[in-house]
Amino acid sequence: MKKKVLLLTLTFPVVCILIAICAGRYAISPLEMVQTLLIKMGLGGGMVPPSPEAQSVFWQIRLPRIVLAFSVGSALAVSGAVFQALFRNPLASPDLLGVSAGASFGAVLGLMFFPPLSLAVKFSSFLFGVAAVFCVHVLAIKSRDRSTAVLILGGIIVSSVFQAGVSVLKYLADPYDKLVQIVFWLMGSFQTATWDSVWSIFLVTMIGTVLIAAFSWRLNIMSQDDEQALSLGVDVVKWRIIYVAITTLMVAISVSACGAIGWIGLVVPHIARSLVGSEHRRLIFTSALLGASLMLLMDTLARSLLSSEIPISIVTSLLGAPFLGYLVLRQRKEWVGK
């Protein structure tokens, strides 16, 4: 059974990548894909090259978008798995500490003064995402209560403040120009992906995932009671800060690139846990691959179903909302691994 799960986990992303390359309003056949790759590697001697349009779509549009979707899906899924362990809550997700709300406010603020694709918008989004978690941490310190409940309450407070800020900025925005840009960005999209913008996100996601997996045995312990973790020699407060810092960086840089995308961080860790169990080294890597694969599939649907692209958050909500209803109906008193 484990070999079948491993095979599925490794082959599913490959299949999703192939589908994402070939599908779309400008279809690329598998033969054209192979020809393009062989010619690029210098192995296509004597081959008739695909049309310039097909090569341009492949290298300049599809592949950067695939790398971005793969990175963002992995970042959100891994962050969700970490948050669910740290806060011992099966409904925890990457926006629990206000990261998404803060990053969204920063991006909207940037969009008020700069073009949508400018570096200033991404930097502002990232800066306010980090600021949101910093505010939550300050609230937790000032309360002198180091329990996870205080962090969660702080996240709710900070998220509410930044969401109110987003509403104020939308109210003040020019309804014929800036407001349209803001609303579309908030719904999420990968259509702005370029090679210059995706590599930083890819590297941060990969490094963060490897670091979390390398110290995953502490997550196994921290998913139990704090007293039990302390008795086993784990500094709960220090490692909670480290994990939150890494996941915040991953989520904030993802949101700054493509907007707020929900549900992936909630749904994917549960699917991964049902496949490989609750040991976090396996769970982290499985969540990363499944999150990337599902994000690729949903992005392919978003850009292929209609003549105009559907915002990705609409597609992810169609998956995530029914799954949340499933969790509520089951009324589990404890979740797997606790």
Side-chain angles (χ1 to χ4, degrees):
M1 182 63 182
K2 291 183 179 180
K3 291 183 178 180
K4 291 182 179 179
V5 171
L6 178 62
L7 182 63
L8 174 64
T9 304
L10 294 177
T11 56
F12 187 46
V14 176
V15 173
C16 293
I17 290 173
L18 294 176
I19 293 173
I21 290 175
C22 296
R25 290 191 293 275
Y26 188 100
I28 297 176
S29 69
L31 177 60
E32 288 178 317
M33 178 187 67
V34 173
Q35 288 174 334
T36 303
L37 288 173
L38 291 177
I39 291 172
K40 186 70 173 181
M41 292 185 293
L43 303 175
M47 277 188 179
V48 177
S51 66
E53 291 81 6
Q55 295 185 58
S56 178
V57 169
F58 180 84
W59 290 112
Q60 302 304 322
I61 298 177
R62 294 280 165 82
L63 283 188
R65 185 164 182 148
I66 287 171
V67 173
L68 180 59
F70 194 96
S71 303
V72 171
S74 294
L76 296 178
V78 169
S79 300
V82 172
F83 278 24
Q84 288 172 14
L86 289 181
F87 303 117
R88 296 185 289 275
N89 186 339
L91 299 181
S93 60
D95 55 357
L96 185 68
L97 297 185
V99 183
S100 296
S104 296
F105 175 82
V108 171
L109 185 63
L111 287 170
M112 296 283 287
F113 304 101
F114 301 99
L117 302 182
S118 66
L119 184 63
V121 174
K122 295 182 179 181
F123 179 75
S124 176
S125 177
F126 171 75
L127 185 65
F128 278 93
V130 175
V133 176
F134 177 76
C135 292
V136 173
H137 183 61
V138 169
L139 285 174
I141 292 176
K142 294 297 183 180
S143 71
R144 298 181 181 179
D145 185 345
R146 296 189 174 185
S147 67
T148 58
V150 172
L151 283 175
I152 294 173
L153 288 173
I156 293 172
I157 294 169
V158 171
S159 293
S160 298
V161 172
F162 278 116
Q163 287 168 1
V166 169
S167 298
V168 171
L169 292 177
K170 288 167 66 177
Y171 177 77
L172 296 175
D174 179 0
Y176 300 105
D177 181 21
K178 294 297 183 181
L179 183 60
V180 176
Q181 297 175 6
I182 290 170
V183 171
F184 188 78
W185 187 91
L186 287 173
M187 291 190 291
S189 174
F190 296 114
Q191 69 176 8
T192 59
T194 62
W195 284 120
D196 292 335
S197 64
V198 301
W199 287 119
S200 59
I201 302 168
F202 178 79
L203 288 175
V204 168
T205 300
M206 294 304 105
I207 293 172
T209 300
V210 170
L211 287 175
I212 290 171
F215 302 114
S216 59
W217 64 270
R218 290 182 175 86
L219 276 178
N220 294 332
I221 297 174
M222 292 173 68
S223 61
Q224 312 299 320
D225 293 334
D226 286 354
E227 292 79 8
Q228 185 174 350
L230 288 170
S231 68
L232 293 173
V234 175
D235 189 334
V236 175
V237 175
K238 182 184 79 172
W239 281 100
R240 184 177 293 145
I241 293 173
I242 291 173
Y243 283 124
V244 167
I246 294 173
T247 52
T248 296
L249 178 61
M250 293 167 64
V251 174
I253 198 170
S254 298
V255 172
S256 69
C258 57
I261 300 174
W263 301 103
I264 291 292
L266 171 63
V267 172
V268 172
H270 288 284
I271 300 174
R273 198 175 290 110
S274 68
L275 292 174
V276 299
S278 297
E279 200 285 315
H280 279 85
R281 185 183 297 275
R282 295 194 302 268
L283 179 63
I284 293 301
F285 281 120
T286 303
S287 295
L289 292 175
L290 287 179
S293 303
L294 289 176
M295 187 66 82
L296 282 174
L297 283 180
M298 287 184 282
D299 181 53
T300 303
L301 289 173
R303 60 182 171 80
S304 304
L305 287 177
L306 302 177
S307 58
S308 60
E309 182 174 325
I310 304 172
I312 189 65
S313 61
I314 295 177
V315 183
T316 57
S317 296
L318 291 176
L319 170 67
F323 190 84
L324 179 60
Y326 166 74
L327 290 179
V328 171
L329 290 176
R330 283 194 63 175
Q331 294 182 341
R332 289 186 296 184
K333 295 182 180 179
E334 61 181 14
W335 59 297
V336 179
K338 184 174 179 180

